[in-house]
Amino acid sequence: MRRLRHVSQQLLAGLAAWVFIAPGLHLEAWALLQGGLAALSSIGLRQPVWQRLAHGMFVPAVVLMRQLDIAPVWYLAALLATLALGRNALFERVPLYRSGAQVAQRLGDLLAQQSRLLEAGCGDGRLAVRLAALRPDLRVLGLENAVGAWSLARWRWWRAGRPAGLDIDCRSFWKENWGNHDAIYVFLSPEPMPRVWRKFLDEGRPGSLLISNTFAVPDIEPDERLPLDGPLQKELLIWRHPNGSQ
């Protein structure tokens, strides 16, 4: 339904620019007007800033690229690269976020000896590799189902000397049994957090940890908060599993 809403905003802005406001405009001017109306509709709906920018720039960018006379094969290549790196932004509304260096330090201090950590959505692997270097006693499993991001993560793992305690696999973390791990780390988006919480309750071990970078579980107060210094990565929110099932 949300995808349909975004498409409807673009269509209605185009209709208003073409029919009701300025039917005699040249294509370039119409595209700019359409983008402005689409951005205004996004502001009116109180959508996030990045969505306002996307709505405002989409049609003007399409018109500009059309005039540059770029070979179609480059558009195909760009599409494939985008899907390889960011398929989850399209299908699960989870952009490719990368955890900062401070997060690895915080996790290293938080986790007990011989812990097993699942990084659910490890992106390009930078956090998993840093954590493996800080705490070689940990068993870290990074899961990423975007092939391009997973390839970067495997390259980082190989470049770091293939740490024995670190595994990076290309598959969905939704299919992993979270009961095999002492802690689950996620840096996703607000969209999947209710589902993350349900899976944690259903599968998590008694006393295991759910650790989320910045994004909260709606209406569930965390047991602990660890501050982060980054402007976008504000804190780690930590929940302890009550009994492993619900």
Side-chain angles (χ1 to χ4, degrees):
M1 293 299 295
R2 292 186 178 183
R3 294 191 185 96
L4 290 177
R5 182 177 66 188
H6 293 307
V7 173
S8 298
Q9 285 176 247
Q10 288 292 323
L11 292 176
L12 290 174
L15 184 63
W18 192 269
V19 177
F20 297 107
I21 297 177
L25 283 178
H26 292 294
L27 181 61
E28 296 83 356
W30 170 83
L32 291 174
L33 180 58
Q34 191 277 347
L37 293 173
L40 285 175
S41 72
S42 186
I43 293 171
L45 293 172
R46 297 183 179 180
Q47 293 171 335
V49 173
W50 70 270
Q51 290 187 13
R52 300 174 188 180
L53 292 174
H55 276 295
M57 296 173 62
F58 179 72
V59 169
V62 169
V63 171
L64 174 63
M65 297 303 289
R66 179 176 178 272
Q67 293 179 342
L68 292 178
D69 196 26
I70 297 174
V73 66
W74 291 109
Y75 290 108
L76 177 61
L79 174 62
L80 294 177
T82 300
L83 290 175
L85 290 171
R87 69 173 298 279
N88 292 315
L90 176 62
F91 296 107
E92 299 192 39
R93 297 175 62 80
V94 177
L96 178 60
Y97 292 124
R98 301 192 295 175
S99 300
Q102 189 184 25
V103 176
Q105 186 64 58
R106 287 278 194 267
L107 291 176
D109 295 339
L110 175 66
L111 298 173
Q113 296 292 317
Q114 303 300 323
S115 291
R116 298 178 63 90
L117 172 72
L118 168 65
E119 185 180 2
C122 69
D124 64 5
R126 63 167 50 194
L127 172 65
V129 170
R130 281 173 174 162
L131 190 57
L134 286 173
R135 289 284 305 276
D137 59 299
L138 296 177
R139 294 291 301 178
V140 180
L141 173 62
L143 295 182
E144 177 59 55
N145 65 349
V147 175
W150 169 80
S151 298
L152 290 174
R154 290 290 292 184
W155 175 78
R156 287 182 184 274
W157 171 81
W158 178 83
R159 190 181 181 191
R162 297 178 290 182
L166 173 60
D167 292 319
I168 296 177
D169 291 343
C170 186
R171 53 191 171 92
S172 172
F173 62 78
W174 297 117
K175 298 180 180 179
E176 172 73 9
N177 184 351
W178 288 9
N180 295 331
H181 307 277
D182 302 307
I184 313 297
Y185 171 80
V186 296
F187 187 18
L188 303 174
S189 76
E191 183 74 15
M193 290 308 296
R195 185 181 176 188
V196 166
W197 180 248
R198 291 193 298 270
K199 186 171 177 66
F200 179 61
L201 290 181
D202 290 342
E203 299 180 359
R205 293 178 180 177
S208 62
L209 301 178
L210 173 63
I211 307 164
S212 175
N213 188 332
T214 303
F215 300 113
V217 176
D219 303 319
I220 306 294
E221 186 66 22
D223 297 307
E224 188 178 355
R225 297 174 184 264
L226 297 178
L228 300 173
D229 296 335
L232 299 178
Q233 301 178 43
K234 299 178 180 179
E235 60 182 347
L236 294 180
L237 300 98
I238 304 166
W239 295 266
R240 187 173 298 276
H241 197 288
N243 52 24
S245 64
Q246 180 150 334

